[in-house]
């Protein structure tokens, strides 16, 4: 197999080159969002497009395909979880997808997305849906054409969902979402019938520097390594990875509301713990990142919700937080604060929604995406359909499109289809993985009460993080939990938590 | 010529791609120096090497050469200062240079340089010349081989000098430096025979934030556009350009010494004013940057020395500075402060040297480079030769190699040859250009006294900055001054300034 090893080294060198171009693009994006002066915008767009184009050209070069073809039998001869075998199979999967989409089409789509995003940033504050309408219609048309490069699908959204959540199809997701909704709606109704928790203790003046310092202390305790990352301020929070040794997060601080910056910090830290936990041996290959949108989101939601919205977490950290903001919190009891950060209330904005209603926001978007792609909903009718869906599912409707169908960037800066399901899949998986962790770590909540997260972090690193993308999401879920995606643990988690908060009947 | 226009657009697209890769590399370098966490270092080196390699491969592709060959006659048919004609000729010049150096050789040299730089960062503080010796010997060997890809030179340093100062040769520079030294040495001796100015007012505690704010105000007044740039902190100050709309500078603040951060800020702002002043029509081409090391340095030295070490400048800014640091400067008269920032004293460190002695530091290095390349000085004998040269030229010698031949990064992170002459060429040119500007702007010093730098900035932009690299340095100097490089204005400037400071006899 000596010849195979030479070919494997050659493949790795080619993939490393693609990885380096993509990582450079990520640095340019991060800089654009954090420190770039306004004058840099025009050239920066061009530079990022150049890097993306060259990366695509290098990856889809025919000799890369030949290397992969030559190596596939060798991959089959290796143990199923060998790094090299997984790499060859992942390269094959990605290569076969990438070569189907012509570079010219990608360039057109990418240019259109940049324009659409730019217009959206102006049209949303102006509540001007008519201005984005023709662009969104073109996005839908291009999204359909993108899907059509992958014929043989059951539903036209399938190829688009597959990009972010490999192995998932519209039908599967619809079924899971349907089951989940059936369980969720009574919980939401029951909670809504009670008086909402008083969250006034989260409002007031929380100085930025102290918010940032407290957030850094918390995520440092989780295991986020500041020697291999950093936190900066951006308009929209995100996590980004330049290498296993450089995984950064950003946040936005609202001095008038403690919850916003804090939970976005623990959310992004969850994404980052995943990426920082990848085995360094995978660095520079396409396996050195999280495996799917849903699994990635499961980790951000684990650290944001299952950990940092839990009572044991606050039993440890609340006395510390009170010392940071004594004028705001000294006289507020733990119980009041805990209820405040878990206040349930149907609302209009997904990113600010509570745990119970959050998934309804996602399901609304997912269903609207499918209907637009199917052709059963015209783009011009989107605002009306959006508002109707909110009224039906959450009992309220937005007064304008800015806080309605224009609130999320996804459709305006990328494609329609596959953009949202990962959020709810992530919620489901977060509870499924956590339940599995508890089997090995029965004292997990006592540990949290003592401010010790090493057990949980270690378990996640060992079972999920270190593998990067070695396994597809379905393979990983099966490895970790011994079964497929299962909404049971999530429903049990919600019932237990919100039952205690809102009393019997939930 | 319609066919030519198509070929020209194709050439521009190819060059823009190379430009984008190099700009991305510059962003990665900037990030490495400013915000990158330590864990990012290893992958970052690899990523920057990948970008540099792909840029080199793209630029030296044979079809780029054919495009240039096809377009050269067309360039000849255009007016001599047409953007397109200049672009084609510059591309031809750079292409012919680039294709002579094999990619494999460049990769070896680049890897060696990175290693050598890494070892130097540790060996310099440890004063361990023996540790860098074998690396420096290899650097010399590789530098000689690099020069030998350009046969037909008069002196082996000529091709290396030509990289940074096009059109210059060792012989020309040696002659100019000889003439300059003949004039400089009596000035230095005369100044040294007087009591050095008291610069204690520059020492003490100058809080970082206030230093930064004052520096920003000053360079903003010069015309540095913060909407198209920014300033950050790094260990070594530098200027970098990602596009005409994004030209950044960095500085290092020493809270115990006002001069260090302030003059490094005005120095880097000079480089940045040059790059910000390039005609936006040249963006994305290889003409959108300063034309040579010497001309670039002339602009940093103009704003650092001819402007911000001048008496009219401080007549305007000193009262403001006193208000920023009242506890340090309230009782210090302008005259004392002005003498302090122009204190002349032979010293060991180039970057901290005064205007009069600075060029002697440069000449010592330039001559040692030539002797190593010629083979008349062995690398192992460099420390001894360095110390002897300092004793001969400045009357003092370093006590160790850390502040001796290991003080500058140039030989340890790049090649030997061509690294230093630009600093003194820049000093000479700064005065030559400034004398020319004064002909059009006789009231230039009165303007400075009023805090008005628009006239000077406008003149430099019109005559130098906007052209970017359209003209080679010799062409530009001829265009601007009607003659070649001339030490006369520089000597007259120094005599006048230091004659006033140190009395008759200078």
């Amino acid at each position: 197999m000596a010849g195979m090893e030479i070919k494997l080294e050659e493949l790795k060198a080619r993939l490393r080159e693609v990885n380096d171009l993509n990582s450079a693009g990520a640095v340019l994006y991060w800089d654009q969002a954090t420190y770039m002066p306004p004058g840099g915008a025009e050239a920066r767009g061009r530079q990022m497009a150049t890097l993306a184009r060259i990366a695509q050209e290098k990856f889809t070069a025919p000799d890369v395909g030949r290397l992969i073809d030559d190596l596939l039998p060798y991959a089959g001869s290796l143990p199923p979880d060998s790094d090299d075998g997984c790499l060859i199979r992942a390269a094959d999967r990605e290569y076969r997808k990438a070569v189907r989409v012509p570079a010219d089409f990608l360039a057109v789509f990418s240019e259109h997305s940049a324009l659409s995003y730019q217009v959206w940033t102006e049209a949303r504050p102006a509540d001007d849906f008519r201005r984005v309408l023709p662009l969104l219609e073109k996005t839908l048309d291009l999204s359909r054409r993108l899907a059509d490069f992958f014929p043989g699908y059951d539903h036209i959204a399938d190829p688009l969902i597959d990009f972010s959540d490999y192995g998932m199809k519209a039908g599967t997701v619809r079924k899971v979402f349907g089951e989940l909704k059936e369980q969720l709606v009574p919980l939401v109704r029951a909670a809504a019938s009670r008086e909402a928790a008083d969250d006034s203790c989260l409002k007031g003046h929380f100085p930025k520097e102290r918010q940032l310092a407290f957030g850094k202390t918390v995520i440092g305790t989780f295991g986020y390594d500041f020697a291999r990352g950093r936190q900066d301020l951006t308009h929209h929070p995100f996590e980004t990875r330049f290498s296993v040794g450089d995984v950064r997060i950003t946040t936005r601080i609202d001095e008038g509301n403690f919850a916003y910056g804090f939970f976005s910090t623990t959310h992004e830290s969850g994404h980052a713990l995943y990426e920082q936990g990848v085995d360094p041996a995978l660095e520079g290959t396409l396996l050195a990142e999280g495996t799917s949108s849903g699994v990635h989101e499961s980790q951000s939601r684990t650290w944001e919700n299952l950990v940092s919205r839990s009572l044991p977490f606050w039993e440890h950290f609340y006395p510390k937080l009170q010392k940071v903001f004594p004028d705001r919190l000294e006289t507020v009891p733990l119980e009041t604060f805990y209820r405040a950060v878990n206040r349930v209330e149907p609302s209009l904005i997904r990113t600010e929604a509570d745990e119970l209603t959050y998934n309804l926001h996602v399901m609304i978007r997912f269903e609207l995406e499918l209907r637009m792609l199917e052709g059963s909903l015209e783009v011009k009718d989107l605002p009306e359909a959006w508002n109707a869906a909110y009224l039906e599912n959450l009992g309220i409707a937005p007064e304008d499109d800015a806080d309605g169908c224009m609130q999320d960037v996804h459709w305006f800066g990328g494609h329609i289809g596959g953009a949202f399901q990962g959020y709810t899949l992530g919620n489901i998986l977060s509870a499924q993985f956590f339940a599995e962790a508890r089997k090995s770590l029965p004292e997990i909540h006592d540990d949290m009460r003592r401010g010790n997260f090493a057990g949980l972090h270690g378990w996640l690193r060992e079972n999920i993080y270190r593998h990067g993308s070695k396994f597809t999401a379905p393979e990983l879920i099966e490895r970790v939990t011994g079964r497929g995606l299962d909404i049971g643990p999530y429903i049990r988690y919600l019932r237990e938590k919100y039952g205690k908060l809102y009393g019997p009947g939930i």
Side-chain angles (χ1 to χ4, degrees), chain A:
Chain A
M1 281 284 185
M4 284 299 123
E5 274 154 27
I6 292 167
K7 280 182 200 279
L8 181 60
E9 283 315 304
E10 174 63 16
L11 177 66
K12 284 183 182 177
R14 302 296 292 268
L15 296 176
R16 199 154 47 228
E17 191 175 40
V18 174
N19 176 286
D20 289 347
L21 287 160
N22 288 328
S23 295
V27 176
L28 265 60
Y29 178 84
W30 173 89
D31 178 73
Q32 182 180 43
T34 50
Y35 297 112
M36 190 184 76
E42 196 180 326
R44 182 57 55 87
R46 190 191 71 222
Q47 291 157 357
M48 292 196 298
T50 298
L51 292 178
R53 185 175 47 70
I54 297 175
Q56 167 82 358
E57 285 168 4
K58 296 254 176 204
F59 184 50
T60 57
D63 51 342
V64 170
R66 279 192 293 274
L67 280 169
I68 294 170
D69 286 344
D70 290 353
L71 283 162
L72 272 173
Y74 174 63
S77 76
L78 297 170
D81 58 356
S82 94
D83 288 359
D84 290 340
C86 290
L87 176 63
I88 294 163
R89 280 190 296 274
D92 180 49
R93 210 158 48 226
E94 295 302 321
Y95 183 82
R96 278 186 288 118
K97 263 194 257 182
V99 291
R100 284 183 181 238
V101 187
D104 288 353
F105 175 83
L106 269 191
V108 168
F109 206 157
S110 158
E111 201 177 333
H112 168 72
S113 300
L115 172 67
S116 168
Y117 170 80
Q118 186 52 41
V119 172
W120 171 77
T121 60
E122 293 162 19
R124 190 196 165 198
D127 186 33
D128 189 354
F129 183 74
R130 279 190 309 179
R131 202 170 151 211
V132 292
L133 176 58
L135 293 161
L136 201 55
E137 282 172 336
K138 184 163 179 192
T139 305
L140 179 62
D141 176 54
L142 290 167
S143 302
R144 284 199 182 117
R145 287 169 56 195
L146 179 59
D148 282 336
F149 291 120
F150 302 85
Y153 49 70
D154 297 332
H155 189 286
I156 187 170
D158 288 354
L160 308 171
I161 293 170
D162 195 81
F163 285 147
S164 47
D165 284 296
Y166 179 82
M168 283 285 168
K169 295 181 171 198
T172 339
V173 177
R174 255 182 175 155
K175 185 161 170 290
V176 172
F177 281 13
E179 290 163 8
L180 181 62
K181 192 170 164 181
E182 209 170 294
Q183 305 279 335
L184 267 181
V185 168
L187 289 182
V188 171
R189 292 224 174 104
S193 70
R194 269 78 158 184
E195 197 184 344
D198 174 10
D199 64 353
S200 59
C201 62
L202 303 175
K203 317 280 172 70
H205 185 65
F206 295 87
K208 185 160 78 172
E209 290 308 321
R210 279 189 268 162
Q211 280 199 55
L212 283 169
F214 180 74
K216 284 184 181 177
T217 303
V218 169
I219 66 175
T221 313
F222 289 169
Y224 179 75
D225 181 357
F226 281 94
R228 299 190 297 130
R230 50 180 290 120
Q231 184 181 36
D232 296 271
L233 294 171
T234 51
H235 193 65
H236 295 289
F238 63 90
E239 174 269 340
T240 182
R241 175 189 53 88
F242 308 146
S243 64
V244 173
D246 192 353
V247 179
R248 305 186 191 182
I249 60 174
T250 73
T251 192
R252 180 165 74 85
I253 296 291
D254 177 350
E255 292 199 316
N257 185 334
F258 170 76
Y260 188 88
F262 181 72
F263 292 108
S264 89
T265 296
T266 59
H267 179 98
E268 300 307 334
S269 86
H271 286 300
L273 287 167
Y274 191 179
E275 303 274 7
Q276 281 193 340
V278 171
D279 184 346
L282 303 178
E283 166 59 22
T285 76
L286 44 67
L287 302 183
E289 62 182 325
T291 193
S292 77
S293 168
V295 175
H296 230 303
E297 198 69 13
S298 78
Q299 292 317 298
S300 56
R301 301 294 274 181
T302 294
W303 293 96
E304 176 195 356
N305 289 337
L306 281 77
V307 175
S308 70
R309 279 190 220 264
S310 76
L311 188 56
F313 172 89
W314 286 114
E315 286 175 30
H316 177 74
F317 275 115
Y318 189 60
K320 295 174 203 305
L321 184 67
Q322 286 179 302
K323 289 206 181 86
V324 177
F325 302 110
D327 49 329
R328 294 298 312 140
L329 299 174
E330 207 169 38
T331 62
V332 178
L334 168 64
E335 176 67 17
T336 307
F337 182 83
Y338 172 64
R339 294 179 71 87
V341 300
N342 288 292
R343 172 187 165 108
V344 174
E345 191 180 36
S347 64
L348 294 170
I349 307 292
R350 174 183 62 86
T351 55
E352 295 167 12
D354 59 81
E355 278 183 281
L356 278 186
T357 58
Y358 185 93
N359 298 297
L360 300 177
H361 293 262
V362 174
M363 291 173 189
I364 289 170
R365 287 154 178 75
F366 180 72
E367 204 49 48
L368 292 170
E369 281 195 322
L370 296 196
R371 286 176 53 200
M372 286 192 280
L373 286 164
E374 288 162 4
S376 64
L377 171 65
E378 285 189 65
V379 177
K380 72 174 172 49
D381 299 325
L382 178 63
E384 203 181 324
W386 180 284
N387 296 354
Y390 264 77
L391 209 53
E392 185 196 328
N393 286 278
L394 287 150
I396 51 172
E399 288 179 9
D400 57 25
D401 298 328
D403 284 346
C405 67
M406 291 169 77
Q407 75 179 252
D408 287 311
V409 61
H410 306 60
W411 293 335
F412 301 94
H415 52 71
I416 293 174
F420 288 103
Q421 77 287 332
Y423 292 111
T424 283
L425 295 177
N427 282 332
I428 297 168
L429 286 170
S430 69
Q432 199 176 340
F433 290 144
F434 196 84
E436 209 56 40
R438 277 182 85 166
K439 291 184 195 161
S440 310
L441 304 161
E443 72 295 3
I444 199 164
H445 282 125
D446 291 329
D447 281 351
M448 284 191 204
R449 234 168 246 123
R450 289 188 292 263
N452 179 355
F453 303 90
L456 176 61
H457 183 216
W459 188 92
L460 292 166
R461 204 170 46 213
E462 176 63 22
N463 289 280
I464 299 174
Y465 301 170
R466 70 184 172 96
H467 299 306
S469 299
K470 275 179 64 176
F471 309 111
T472 66
E475 287 168 353
L476 184 74
I477 297 165
E478 177 71 33
R479 267 181 78 98
V480 176
T481 70
R483 56 195 303 169
L485 185 75
D486 174 9
I487 65 169
Y490 184 49
I491 292 298
R492 282 192 289 280
Y493 157 73
L494 292 176
R495 266 191 213 290
E496 187 188 334
K497 175 170 179 177
Y498 289 91
K500 282 188 191 148
L501 278 163
Y502 282 87
I506 286 199

